[in-house]
Amino acid sequence: MLSIKYLHENREEAIRRLAVKGFKGEQIIDELLGLDNDRRDSQRRLDENLAEQNKISKSIGLLMKEGKRDDAEVAKAQIASLKEGSKQMESRKKELEDRILNLIIQIPNLPADIVPEGTKAEDNVCVKEGGCMPHLTDECKLPHWEVVKNYDLIDFEVGVKITGAGFPLYKGYGARLQRALISFFLDSAREAGYLEVMPPYVVNEDSAYGTGQLPDKEGQMYHAQTDNLYLIPTAEVPVTNIFRDVILEEKSLPVCLTAYSACFRREAGSYGKDVRGLNRLHQFDKVEIVRVDKPEHSYTSLQEMVDYVQSLVDKLELPWRILRLCGGDMSFTSALTYDFEVFSAAQERWLEVSSVSNFESFQANRLKCRYRDTEGKVQVAHTLNGSALALPRIVAALLENNQTPEGIRIPKALVPYTGFDIIPLPKEPSPF
């Protein structure tokens, strides 16, 4: 959430930067600033009213001592009138504050200065790439939805029967590969200095609001209406909310956490070949990294997170590229986002597997996540998060890029976790 103070002092700058995200901010900002001026005026008049009440209250005792009972009664009547006026002013101020909050939460975060202009994926900027492109023979160039059927790794149809489309059932080597990747990502994060936590998969409304999922992405979240709880779209939500209404000490920053979770996304309106198989799911597994840092160090933290995710895709022996997202392709809450994509040799296209973002103070303002500096002053923190990594498209790329006549080859870094270095064709079908 942006601050009113910033918008008062930097109106033109805010409008210009929001335009990079494709957000027309002039009207809503001007309405917001007008309401805030009214709120300030209401507060001034309320303060004056309360000061007058205090002044008259002090005079009543003196009047009574002097025997001026009639004058004291008149003063009491004035106080009663002033209290009624204060009550109306308080109500008006609260109404203005509610209207201000309703407007300000509709304004996205400002993009960083290096965010490129644009509205679509083609406007993103490739800043780095690496890894070796696989060369598959025609007989070993199947898309993953055919590979998993041939090797009996994932059953999409049984998932549909149990729940619905987008909820696959992993089995055998497929389930073991999932578990291996989760452990590999968690161990790698721990070795890189991240503290592992295991958060709830369901959050309340305050948590979803704090990280910016509400009200922006309400339609994309699964909502348990009876209890007014939400299934998490990512572990970012519960992990970042650890620091809601918390004041950290500067010496503890940056705080670095990692968590595995299942993730749940409705993904309404997602159809077509580009979302086939594992390319887009309603339930999937992901390991997340989250940082809370002081403002002057948050972009150093962002680069460290990007470098860390790069190390993971390198260890998985996948060809990758890093994109700096354009304004129109960024999330509501992000100030700067780098997407990681890996190349799928069978689908012959790039698949997004990670987003690493700096939210600056946007989430922290909502969360009231702060830190106390060395001089004892309380400051607003910066928050960051990244996928490290999301499993479905990683699995898709691993299965597609590592096809051989003998089976699916497992990258060396994963073998200690899988317990096997190749996935063979099944000798007999599974019982379901």
Side-chain angles (χ1 to χ4, degrees):
M1 184 168 66
L2 301 177
S3 74
I4 291 284
K5 183 176 184 293
Y6 176 87
L7 293 175
H8 272 293
E9 296 174 353
N10 302 276
R11 174 186 174 276
E12 298 298 327
E13 174 72 4
I15 291 170
R16 180 190 67 79
R17 290 172 65 186
L18 286 169
V20 175
K21 276 193 169 183
F23 185 87
K24 297 179 180 179
E26 184 172 2
Q27 182 176 341
I28 191 170
I29 289 175
D30 285 345
E31 183 180 355
L32 186 62
L33 297 181
L35 288 170
D36 189 55
N37 287 332
D38 289 345
R39 181 198 62 78
R40 292 182 182 192
D41 185 58
S42 292
Q43 184 66 63
R44 178 188 56 78
R45 290 187 287 108
L46 177 60
D47 291 343
E48 290 173 352
N49 194 299
L50 293 172
E52 183 66 16
Q53 285 182 55
N54 289 334
K55 179 182 176 182
I56 295 173
S57 292
K58 290 177 181 179
S59 73
I60 291 175
L62 293 173
L63 291 170
M64 292 295 286
K65 284 181 180 180
E66 295 171 0
K68 299 178 180 179
R69 290 183 174 275
D70 290 343
D71 290 344
E73 290 302 321
V74 170
K76 288 178 182 180
Q78 288 178 318
I79 288 177
S81 177
L82 288 168
K83 283 183 176 180
E84 182 59 32
S86 292
K87 185 177 178 181
Q88 293 176 6
M89 291 176 194
E90 285 279 10
S91 177
R92 171 61 175 163
K93 185 168 75 76
K94 178 65 167 58
E95 176 192 343
L96 289 168
E97 288 170 347
D98 289 344
R99 290 173 64 187
I100 288 168
L101 179 61
N102 183 58
L103 285 177
I104 203 165
I105 63 175
Q106 297 177 44
I107 302 175
N109 197 5
L110 302 178
D113 288 333
I114 63 170
V115 170
E117 293 188 12
T119 58
K120 53 189 182 300
E122 289 74 20
D123 298 319
N124 298 330
V125 176
C126 181
V127 295
K128 196 174 183 181
E129 55 187 317
C132 298
M133 287 289 187
H135 299 285
L136 304 179
T137 60
D138 289 341
E139 61 271 22
C140 293
K141 198 175 183 180
L142 298 176
H144 70 269
W145 50 86
E146 293 185 25
V147 172
V148 299
K149 185 178 292 186
N150 292 345
Y151 285 81
D152 203 18
L153 305 176
I154 303 172
D155 198 318
F156 293 103
E157 293 179 1
V158 171
V160 170
K161 181 180 75 171
I162 295 170
T163 309
F167 295 87
L169 173 74
Y170 300 85
K171 54 183 177 176
Y173 282 99
R176 292 171 66 184
L177 179 59
Q178 287 284 115
R179 178 160 50 87
L181 281 165
I182 293 166
S183 296
F184 169 65
F185 293 147
L186 285 173
D187 283 355
S188 297
R190 178 178 52 76
E191 290 165 7
Y194 291 86
L195 174 67
E196 183 178 347
V197 296
M198 187 174 287
Y201 293 175
V202 181
V203 295
N204 58 33
E205 196 172 79
D206 287 343
S207 293
Y209 168 81
T211 45
Q213 275 67 37
L214 295 181
D216 181 55
K217 292 183 174 62
E218 184 169 10
Q220 292 297 315
M221 298 176 72
Y222 286 99
H223 185 201
Q225 295 184 359
T226 301
D227 299 309
N228 194 28
L229 298 173
Y230 293 85
L231 275 67
I232 61 170
T234 165
E236 168 205 346
V237 180
V239 174
T240 309
N241 269 277
I242 292 171
F243 306 101
R244 175 155 46 95
D245 298 319
V246 169
I247 299 177
L248 297 160
E249 296 300 326
E250 183 177 345
K251 64 182 180 182
S252 69
L253 300 177
V255 175
C256 304
L257 301 180
T258 186
Y260 156 75
S261 78
C263 303
F264 304 89
R265 299 183 186 180
R266 293 187 62 241
E267 300 285 10
S270 298
Y271 306 101
K273 65 176 182 177
D274 288 346
V275 297
R276 191 172 178 183
L278 295 172
N279 287 343
R280 184 158 296 178
L281 301 174
H282 294 307
Q283 177 184 319
F284 60 94
D285 295 312
K286 180 155 68 86
V287 172
E288 195 81 356
I289 52 175
V290 170
R291 288 199 186 194
V292 180
D293 207 346
K294 52 188 179 182
E296 61 267 30
H297 190 261
S298 69
Y299 277 94
T300 299
S301 268
L302 179 65
Q303 187 58 53
E304 289 172 357
M305 294 168 76
V306 169
D307 292 343
Y308 170 67
V309 175
Q310 179 187 319
S311 74
L312 294 179
V313 288
D314 274 333
K315 289 175 182 176
L316 292 175
E317 304 170 31
L318 292 169
W320 52 268
R321 67 180 184 182
I322 305 173
L323 305 177
R324 185 190 302 136
L325 295 194
C326 68
D329 208 25
M330 287 170 59
S331 74
F332 182 85
T333 52
S334 176
L336 179 62
T337 295
Y338 290 101
D339 270 7
F340 276 78
E341 296 181 337
V342 296
F343 190 73
S344 160
Q347 296 180 67
E348 297 182 340
R349 69 187 188 96
W350 291 94
L351 305 175
E352 181 197 331
V353 296
S354 174
S355 284
V356 186
S357 301
N358 189 347
F359 305 110
E360 296 187 354
S361 61
F362 192 82
Q363 287 182 334
N365 275 326
R366 287 175 170 238
L367 294 162
K368 296 181 181 176
C369 170
R370 296 157 291 174
Y371 71 97
R372 185 178 287 104
D373 65 22
T374 53
E375 297 179 354
K377 186 177 180 181
V378 175
Q379 310 272 14
V380 177
H382 279 193
T383 62
L384 307 91
N385 87 282
S387 312
L389 287 158
L391 269 67
R393 294 171 193 159
I394 286 289
V395 170
L398 287 174
L399 296 177
E400 293 178 3
N401 293 3
N402 293 300
Q403 299 176 67
T404 74
E406 293 75 33
I408 308 297
R409 186 184 64 84
I410 299 298
K412 289 182 180 179
L414 269 184
V415 173
Y417 292 90
T418 58
F420 50 85
D421 58 9
I422 198 163
I423 300 175
L425 279 167
K427 296 180 180 178
E428 54 184 52
S430 66
F432 58 89

